[in-house]
Amino acid sequence: MKSSKLLIAVVAAASTLFVALSARAEFTCELSFPSAPQTALENFPVLVRLANDAPTGFSYADCPTASCIWFTDENNDTLPFDVDTWNASGESLVWVSVPSFSSSTTITMHWSSDAGSVEDSPAAREVWTRAGYNAVWHFSGSNAESVNGLNA
């Protein structure tokens, strides 16, 4: 009788662990740029457009806020990114700093239902300072949505 109670306790603990692991699912998608130049551009800001199933497999249901995403290069190094627009019911625009951008470049987009999945993520301003910009303004129509002053 004791062994069956122990088995039930182990199964219950395993089920709880499975639920906890399932709640923090991580998703990935490889992004490539076949139309990019063959000669590499250094520290190039690349625009990534997001919408449900764009890129394939991406879902706002799995990634409710911009703090749920991050990007890595071929060496699994975290890349700086700047969220221009986050629209969970439409298209989101994210600029990613790619260290060496060419037609053979691939980066990986990661997302999770867990907000703040990446600790020590590079600052958004690095997207622009690495590319040599002094300031960047994101505009929509005639109104400024956000200003990213880099010398502040």
Side-chain angles (χ1 to χ4, degrees), residues 4-147:
S4 65
K5 286 183 182 179
L6 179 61
L7 178 61
I8 290 169
V10 169
V11 170
S15 297
T16 304
L17 178 60
F18 175 74
V19 169
L21 290 175
S22 297
R24 199 216 175 280
E26 182 182 312
F27 305 90
T28 62
C29 178
E30 190 172 276
L31 304 175
S32 60
F33 311 94
S35 298
Q38 289 186 346
T39 304
L41 301 171
E42 301 304 312
N43 299 309
F44 191 77
V46 173
L47 178 62
V48 176
R49 294 176 181 271
L50 304 174
N52 279 316
D53 208 34
T56 302
F58 178 76
S59 168
Y60 287 115
D62 298 326
C63 183
T65 68
S67 62
C68 298
I69 62 172
W70 68 99
F71 299 85
T72 57
D73 63 13
E74 291 101 342
N75 299 320
N76 207 31
D77 293 326
T78 304
L79 300 174
F81 65 95
D82 183 14
V83 178
D84 179 333
T85 305
W86 188 261
N87 180 359
S89 60
E91 183 179 60
S92 297
L93 306 175
V94 181
W95 292 93
V96 182
S97 178
V98 178
S100 182
F101 180 69
S102 71
S103 56
S104 63
T105 298
T106 59
I107 62 173
T108 303
M109 180 180 152
H110 305 260
W111 66 96
S112 169
S113 57
D114 232 3
S117 298
V118 176
E119 296 174 20
D120 303 325
S121 178
R125 67 188 301 139
E126 287 186 44
V127 172
W128 309 108
T129 56
R130 288 181 180 188
Y133 290 90
N134 290 319
V136 174
W137 290 267
H138 299 293
F139 292 100
S140 176
S142 61
N143 297 325
E145 282 185 352
S146 64
V147 176

